[in-house]
Amino acid sequence: MSNINVIEGKLDAGGLKIAIIATRFNDFIVERLVSGAIDYLSRHGAKESDLTLIRCPGAFELPMLCRKVAKNIDYDGIVALGAVIRGATPHFNYICAEATKGIAQVMLKTGTPIGYGLLTCDTIEQAIERAGSKAGNKGAEAAQAMLETIRVLEQLKE
Ligand code: INI
């Protein structure tokens, strides 16, 4: 193990321009994810002036806005944040599936790393737990995953 080559990303956000795209739907949860992402990036060297917050109506619109930002060479990465909470109808399943698939497609097609911070919860309690309480802050985790991916990609030649 000790002689193998290892490529891994440093968690250093210095000099990176990052867009945080956050839904207005369930904003009482999503604002906690936004705070978690900004806090994480700031504590890892990002300048506030290099962070841009873009408001998005709901999870269904996340892929479209991610796509637009990913095609803009000014941004090194995106943190996509939202919360879908199950209701009485199958609506939840359609929104979660399309948002998740869409974000993955944008990331693969454009090559821009996107941190996936979309909560898909059965209850409001589950969402609260993941937005800065019992189960951590998924906004911060999404920012970390995006940052690591950016830094690994930098080391992998085309
Ligand atoms: N959007 C969310 O981000 N979370 C939800 O829980 C949600 N629910 O439950 O309906 C939701 N719906 C709105 C959707 O994302 C679109 O914005 C809307 O359908 C307009 O296109």
Side-chain angles (χ1 to χ4, degrees):
M1 270 300 272
S2 59
N3 287 325
I4 69 161
N5 298 304
V6 177
I7 296 176
E8 56 186 357
K10 283 215 180 88
L11 297 179
D12 171 16
L16 296 177
K17 294 217 181 337
I18 306 297
I20 297 168
I21 307 183
T23 63
R24 294 184 189 281
F25 211 104
N26 292 324
D27 70 322
F28 69 107
I29 295 289
V30 179
E31 283 311 302
R32 304 305 310 151
L33 302 178
V34 171
S35 300
I38 293 173
D39 180 64
Y40 180 89
L41 292 169
S42 300
R43 284 190 293 111
H44 288 79
K47 277 202 303 191
E48 277 196 4
S49 56
D50 284 337
L51 304 180
T52 303
L53 175 61
I54 299 170
R55 301 281 184 194
C56 172
F60 193 70
E61 286 75 31
L62 277 172
M64 176 60 100
L65 292 187
C66 284
R67 180 171 173 269
K68 187 72 177 175
V69 172
K71 288 185 157 196
N72 182 328
I73 55 165
D74 286 347
Y75 293 99
D76 298 294
I78 298 171
V79 187
L81 302 176
V84 194
I85 299 172
R86 194 183 287 280
T89 70
H91 195 64
F92 169 93
N93 301 312
Y94 294 109
I95 292 186
C96 294
E98 293 314 309
T100 303
K101 227 188 312 161
I103 290 169
Q105 271 175 15
V106 170
M107 181 154 76
L108 294 174
K109 282 195 178 149
T110 62
T112 300
I114 304 177
Y116 174 74
L118 179 64
L119 301 182
T120 55
C121 298
D122 288 332
T123 64
I124 288 176
E125 287 71 25
Q126 287 177 351
I128 291 170
E129 282 173 9
R130 288 157 180 77
S133 59
K134 268 203 267 185
N137 187 308
K138 299 297 171 192
E141 286 179 26
Q144 178 179 0
M146 173 216 61
L147 179 54
E148 185 171 359
T149 307
I150 291 173
R151 294 309 192 191
V152 172
L153 282 173
E154 283 173 351
Q155 299 176 62
L156 296 170
K157 297 201 176 79
E158 288 290 316

